[in-house]
Amino acid sequence: MTANVSSVQPASSTPSPLHAVVADDFDAVNRTIVAQLNSKVPLVETIGQYITESGGKRLRPLLALLAARSLGYTGDKHIPLATLIEFMHTSTLLHDDVVDESHMRRGKKTANDAWGNAPSVLVGDFLYARSFQMMVDVGSMRIMAILSGATCVIAEGEVQQLTNIGNPSVSEDDYFETILGKTAMLFEAASHSGAVLAEATPEQEQALQLYGRYLGLAFQLIDDLLDYQGDAEAMGKNVGDDLAEGKPTLPLIHAMEQGTPEQAKLIRQVIRDGGLEQLNAVLDIVHATGALTYTRARAEEMADKALSQLDALPPSPYRDTMAELARLAVDRQT
């Protein structure tokens, strides 16, 4: 299938103040992305560049860079490390969009919508394979163990989310277990592997591992909140997408717990059926039960836990940026 899209320029990310402290490193990561997307099969390069050019924040590679630099790392292995983490993330996006039958991501066509499911899945496989090639080049068995282990947990989290669809009996504990796997694990692996690369002390290594975990949880909680109160144009997806897919996220779980029996019954039915026919009614219940306020409070709790981990690091602009990232995790609108 041929996509009606313009030619893709070299990979880059949207500049932000968060990237300023590692601007040179980030430029090197962008160049490495372009180099590592090289393939004798043109469609691999085309789809790979299309998805990496989709305007993402590139937070996971940023975490690896910041973690390593915050501990005084002066080598050059953090560049391929950050790049392969971005490839791992990109491959999950390609696969997720196929599974979710998504048509829009970050305000533009998904790769599966543009080229079809089979090319998207296979290019996702290529990016996973390339990321493991690059792990070998980084040359650390501990980092390979962290990232390969994370890959398994992420896959399990995605399968768990799939089995949760249409199930209104998912508990809050179940929900947190799912988002820990499908989202927070790669954040955790990014900051953890950066710490290992910089030969952190055991205390610092654990602190950076937990920092990434709590940061990832905060981001996913806000993502799930924004599905019920976000700006569709700013987010690049439609408000209510999770509801349409029958995903029992925290706003719905809390609304069912706090609402009247009639309100809970309605939400349970909507989760089973999917669709947006009852969107306005569900939004009313979510607001009336304080579900969004509760979800935001849990996100702020996770961000505070992430911030507390930074006490183990020496003062530096890198640590300051990680602190700012934790605060922005709960203040963002996209």
Side-chain angles (χ1 to χ4, degrees):
M1 182 180 295
T2 302
N4 183 22
V5 293
S6 60
S7 60
V8 182
Q9 298 303 311
S12 63
S13 63
T14 304
S16 82
L18 292 172
H19 298 83
V21 72
V22 287
D24 290 344
D25 287 342
F26 225 77
D27 286 343
V29 168
N30 287 330
R31 292 193 297 271
T32 306
I33 287 173
V34 174
Q36 292 295 330
L37 281 174
N38 178 61
S39 170
K40 64 182 180 181
V41 181
L43 187 59
V44 170
E45 293 187 0
T46 301
I47 295 179
Q49 289 179 353
Y50 180 80
I51 189 70
T52 57
E53 277 294 299
S54 294
K57 303 176 183 69
R58 296 218 175 132
L59 295 178
R60 295 150 190 85
L62 176 62
L63 283 181
L65 298 175
L66 290 172
R69 290 299 199 186
S70 72
L71 296 175
Y73 181 72
T74 58
D76 58 8
K77 296 294 186 182
H78 61 314
I79 303 302
L81 175 62
T83 303
L84 73 88
I85 287 170
E86 178 65 7
F87 280 2
M88 289 175 67
H89 176 56
T90 302
S91 66
T92 65
L93 297 184
L94 285 163
H95 290 162
D96 289 353
D97 286 341
V98 171
V99 171
D100 294 341
E101 299 180 0
S102 300
H103 301 288
M104 179 184 294
R105 180 179 287 278
R106 299 165 183 163
K108 62 189 292 188
K109 280 186 173 185
T110 56
N112 53 294
D113 193 67
W115 285 275
N117 288 341
S120 295
V121 169
L122 294 172
V123 172
D125 292 345
F126 169 84
L127 291 175
Y128 255 135
R130 181 53 53 86
S131 71
F132 275 82
Q133 280 186 320
M134 296 179 71
M135 282 183 214
V136 175
D137 293 337
V138 171
S140 167
M141 286 299 295
R142 283 211 60 214
I143 289 175
M144 287 189 70
I146 290 167
L147 294 175
S148 59
T151 301
C152 291
V153 173
I154 292 164
E156 289 174 336
E158 292 293 349
V159 174
Q160 186 61 55
Q161 178 177 257
L162 185 64
T163 61
N164 288 346
I165 290 176
N167 179 9
S169 298
V170 171
S171 69
E172 185 169 323
D173 286 344
D174 295 334
Y175 164 80
F176 271 97
E177 183 180 359
T178 299
I179 67 170
L180 175 62
K182 84 179 196 69
T183 299
M185 182 51 63
L186 192 52
F187 279 79
E188 176 180 325
S191 55
H192 190 189
S193 57
V196 170
L197 185 67
E199 300 181 347
T201 67
E203 179 191 13
Q204 291 169 334
E205 182 181 326
Q206 183 181 45
L208 281 168
Q209 178 182 3
L210 292 175
Y211 167 83
R213 178 185 305 177
Y214 293 131
L215 182 68
L217 290 171
F219 261 88
Q220 187 59 54
L221 282 159
I222 293 298
D223 272 355
D224 292 344
L225 179 154
L226 289 174
D227 196 64
Y228 292 94
Q229 72 170 33
D231 181 298
E233 184 175 351
M235 291 191 299
K237 67 174 188 175
N238 296 319
V239 173
D241 276 355
D242 288 348
L243 183 67
E245 295 170 17
K247 291 181 180 177
T249 57
L250 189 58
L252 296 186
I253 294 169
H254 187 76
M256 285 188 289
E257 290 176 349
Q258 299 300 313
T260 66
E262 291 76 17
Q263 289 172 327
K265 180 180 179 181
L266 174 63
I267 292 178
R268 291 176 69 88
Q269 191 62 50
V270 171
I271 290 173
R272 289 192 189 99
D273 296 343
L276 294 175
E277 292 80 6
Q278 298 289 339
L279 175 60
N280 289 335
V282 171
L283 288 175
D284 288 342
I285 297 170
V286 164
H287 285 283
T289 56
L292 298 184
T293 300
Y294 177 75
T295 301
R296 182 171 292 280
R298 294 306 310 270
E300 290 172 349
E301 175 191 345
M302 296 302 132
D304 286 343
K305 286 184 176 182
L307 280 168
S308 70
Q309 302 303 320
L310 298 180
D311 293 340
L313 306 182
S316 73
Y318 308 106
R319 188 182 78 171
D320 293 343
T321 299
M322 284 190 281
E324 182 66 13
L325 186 55
R327 288 187 286 267
L328 288 175
V330 293
D331 292 336
R332 64 199 174 91
Q333 297 301 315
T334 62

